[in-house]
């Protein structure tokens, strides 16, 4: 039975500096059942963010407030937060694209080929890249493009186009006062992956969880228990269905509103079952190659933001990677979420996310379980739980 989890919201604090408490004191700024459950099982003491805490599990904005230039508070060695100060460098779609393009230029200069780096769909950032987008749409007549607000989440504001006129019409209808510009705010327009791998005739994407404990040196872990998120309607590329989100967008927040949504399994399939399906239909060798490519994709997307990421020894972050697999078993990076949803739709979903948070805490905390920014965050194999080491530049250099 899923426990009843109702917690009051709190606001950002004026921090206090007091003697280190005997027990871990934690604060949260939103209702997160699986986080609270993990803290309770460890016997930790909840405090308001206005009080003295050792771990602050915050929204990204809450973390940015901690590190504001005009905030004179400085974190002690026994305090940790669950985001890096500028995590938007990888989680904002426009910044991810910019950082990735810079990384690829450097890779090409040093390696000479981008063949191994082809896992981000052709993408343009509006309004700056509008002229290049126009040329691309003209050049690839009839191709489908997906338009996304740069900083949105849960599928908000996303739509598909196959003609440039659709971009103008949709933006002007939704923003009647913005005729002077193509779109209000920053958008990304990506070549739509129109040949996705289908299971049961339906499109899905893959949600993978990646923990980063340091960007310099880069230390990252990949969790084994990701899952697939399925659309509720069968896939088609018909131009008459471009605006049917139940066909094209896998976000649970969208699919759960449809009449075909199954509350029993939540429209999800575990990574373990996906592996078994692919091994039985495509073979073990190609399946292993696919998951090796996914690890490669994640590792280099993290390396791409290392030069711009504000690394801080008090920080850790668990990212939610969204990946599309095409019918040739090639993975494509869709986006990276700095606050992947910890809301659960089924009991299985609840235990999965409870386990992920437990494993995160076991890795980022020293063996004695008390937060310490001085600790080198090098856990034992047992402490890693279902996380596997993706990359540790410190170990690789030793």
């Amino acid at each position: 039975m899923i426990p009843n989890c109702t917690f009051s919201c709190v606001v950002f604090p004026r921090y206090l500096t007091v003697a280190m408490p005997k027990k871990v004191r934690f604060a949260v700024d939103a209702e997160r059942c699986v986080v609270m459950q993990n803290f309770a099982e460890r016997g930790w003491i909840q405090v308001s963010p206005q009080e003295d805490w050792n771990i602050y599990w915050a929204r990204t904005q809450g973390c940015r407030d901690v590190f504001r230039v005009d905030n004179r508070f400085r974190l002690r060695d026994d305090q940790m937060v669950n985001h890096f100060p500028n995590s938007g460098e990888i989680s904002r779609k426009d910044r991810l694209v910019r950082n990735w393009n810079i990384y690829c230029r450097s890779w090409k200069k040093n390696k000479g080929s981008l063949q191994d780096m082809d896992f981000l769909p052709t993408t343009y950032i509006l309004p700056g890249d509008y002229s290049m987008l126009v040329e691309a749409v003209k050049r690839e007549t009839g191709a489908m493009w997906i338009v996304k607000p740069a900083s949105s989440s849960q599928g908000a504001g996303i739509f598909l186009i196959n003609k440039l006129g659709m971009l103008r019409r949709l933006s002007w209808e939704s923003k009647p006062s913005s005729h002077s510009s193509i779109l209000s705010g920053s958008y990304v327009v990506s070549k739509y992956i129109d040949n996705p791998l289908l299971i049961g005739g339906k499109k899905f994407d893959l949600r993978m969880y990646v923990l980063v404990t340091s960007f310099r040196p880069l230390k990252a872990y990949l969790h084994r228990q990701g899952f697939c998120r399925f659309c509720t309607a069968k896939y088609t590329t018909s131009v008459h269905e471009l605006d049917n989100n139940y066909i094209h967008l896998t976000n649970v927040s969208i699919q759960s509103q449809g009449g075909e949504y199954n509350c029993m399994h939540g429209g999800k399939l575990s990574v373990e079952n996906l592996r078994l399906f692919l091994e039985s239909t495509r073979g073990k060798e190609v399946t292993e190659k696919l998951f090796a490519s996914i690890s490669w994709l994640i590792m280099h997307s993290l390396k791409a933001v290392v030069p711009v990421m504000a690394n801080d020894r008090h920080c850790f972050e668990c990212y939610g990677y969204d990946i599309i697999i095409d019918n040739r078993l090639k993975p494509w990076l869709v986006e990276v979420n700095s606050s992947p949803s910890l809301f659960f739709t089924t009991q299985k979903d609840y235990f999965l996310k409870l386990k992920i948070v437990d494993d995160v805490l076991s890795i980022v905390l020293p063996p004695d379980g008390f937060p310490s920014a001085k600790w080198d965050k090098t856990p034992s194999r047992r402490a890693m739980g279902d996380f596997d080491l993706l990359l540790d530049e410190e170990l690789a250099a030793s």
Side-chain angles (χ1 to χ4, degrees):
M1 181 177 179
I2 301 174
N4 182 14
C5 298
T6 303
F7 307 104
S8 59
C9 293
V10 290
V11 295
F12 179 72
R14 180 185 302 274
Y15 297 94
L16 303 175
T17 302
V18 297
M20 186 176 69
K22 294 181 180 180
K23 280 193 174 184
V24 174
R25 295 157 65 91
F26 73 90
V28 296
D29 66 359
E31 298 178 4
R32 296 180 173 92
C33 178
V34 295
V35 174
M36 299 292 283
Q37 184 76 9
N38 269 285
F39 292 170
E41 289 178 358
R42 284 170 165 77
W44 292 0
I45 301 171
Q46 183 177 5
V47 297
S48 160
Q50 288 87 357
E51 301 177 79
D52 182 57
W53 45 260
N54 302 110
I55 283 190
Y56 183 26
W57 197 284
R59 296 184 178 97
T60 52
Q61 182 59 53
C63 178
R64 285 195 291 269
D65 288 341
V66 171
F67 291 98
R68 278 201 326 261
V69 175
D70 61 344
N71 182 357
R72 296 186 178 183
F73 172 76
R74 295 294 179 267
L75 290 170
R76 302 189 310 263
D77 286 340
D78 65 341
Q79 291 182 305
M80 300 180 70
V81 294
N82 66 314
H83 294 289
F84 288 91
N86 61 337
S87 57
E89 293 294 341
I90 192 169
S91 62
R92 270 188 64 108
K93 302 172 186 67
D94 54 349
R95 293 179 189 171
L96 172 61
V97 171
R98 288 193 182 102
N99 291 325
W100 178 247
N101 289 340
I102 293 170
Y103 183 74
C104 283
R105 286 196 291 270
S106 175
W107 179 275
K108 185 176 181 180
K109 180 180 179 180
N110 296 315
K111 304 291 185 179
S113 173
L114 292 176
Q115 182 176 354
D116 294 332
M117 297 291 107
D118 182 28
F119 52 72
L120 199 68
T122 301
T123 301
Y124 300 95
I125 303 172
L126 300 185
D129 294 341
Y130 180 70
S131 59
M132 289 189 288
L133 173 63
V134 170
E135 293 302 314
V137 173
K138 289 179 179 178
R139 186 170 58 249
E140 302 187 51
T141 305
M144 296 167 63
W145 301 81
I146 186 165
V147 185
K148 303 178 181 180
S151 59
S152 70
S153 61
Q154 298 184 329
I158 298 176
F159 57 89
L160 272 65
I161 65 171
N162 65 349
K163 296 178 182 178
L164 202 61
M166 297 174 67
L167 181 62
R168 291 197 185 95
R169 176 175 58 82
L170 287 172
S171 62
W172 287 346
E173 285 180 355
S174 60
K175 303 282 185 181
S177 62
S178 63
H179 285 69
S180 59
S181 62
I182 296 302
L183 285 171
S184 177
S186 180
Y187 277 67
V188 294
V189 183
S190 301
K191 185 75 176 295
Y192 185 67
I193 306 302
D194 60 2
N195 63 326
L197 177 68
L198 306 178
I199 296 180
K202 297 177 181 179
K203 177 183 174 180
F204 67 92
D205 72 355
L206 197 58
R207 165 60 61 86
M208 305 292 287
Y209 294 93
V210 178
L211 172 65
V212 177
T213 58
S214 169
F215 275 97
R216 287 186 297 276
L218 183 58
K219 295 186 179 185
Y221 304 82
L222 176 61
H223 208 269
R224 299 172 202 157
Q225 295 189 43
F227 53 84
C228 306
R229 304 181 301 179
F230 280 81
C231 290
T232 53
K234 291 200 172 183
Y235 182 73
T236 175
T237 56
S238 169
V239 296
H240 303 296
E241 298 287 357
L242 284 181
D243 61 349
N244 189 338
N245 289 341
Y246 299 124
I247 291 174
H248 298 290
L249 304 184
T250 59
N251 308 75
V252 174
S253 57
I254 291 174
Q255 296 299 327
S256 60
Q257 303 303 312
E260 299 300 318
Y261 181 73
N262 188 317
C263 295
M264 295 297 294
H265 55 65
K268 295 177 181 178
L269 179 74
S270 68
V271 166
E272 181 182 10
N273 285 333
L274 175 64
R275 277 183 178 270
L276 292 173
F277 171 79
L278 292 176
E279 286 179 3
S280 64
T281 56
R282 301 293 187 97
K284 187 170 183 177
E285 183 177 349
V286 295
T287 301
E288 291 298 325
K289 182 180 178 181
L290 165 64
F291 281 92
S293 296
I294 290 174
S295 295
W296 174 269
L297 174 162
I298 294 171
M299 181 174 65
H300 285 282
S301 67
L302 293 171
K303 286 185 174 183
V305 301
V306 165
V308 296
M309 191 63 70
N311 191 60
D312 191 286
R313 60 196 178 96
H314 300 90
C315 301
F316 63 93
E317 193 147 17
C318 186
Y319 296 101
Y321 270 70
D322 293 343
I323 297 167
I324 288 284
I325 304 170
D326 69 23
N327 57 16
R328 295 170 294 179
L329 296 194
K330 175 182 174 62
W332 296 91
L333 178 58
V334 176
E335 62 181 288
V336 182
N337 300 274
S338 60
S339 294
S341 174
L342 295 177
F343 175 76
F344 49 89
T345 53
T346 66
Q347 189 175 51
K348 186 175 182 180
D349 203 30
Y350 164 74
F351 286 115
L352 164 65
K353 292 175 180 177
L354 190 71
K355 173 63 173 170
I356 289 170
V357 174
D358 180 51
D359 289 344
V360 166
L361 294 173
S362 294
I363 288 177
V364 302
L365 296 176
D368 65 3
F370 202 92
S372 173
K374 291 184 176 180
W375 189 55
D376 64 1
K377 297 187 180 74
T378 305
S380 66
R381 173 60 263 185
R382 181 178 180 181
M384 289 163 59
D386 282 346
F387 274 107
D388 291 317
L389 181 64
L390 184 66
L391 177 68
D392 187 331
E393 290 180 336
E394 192 171 48
L395 287 177
S398 62

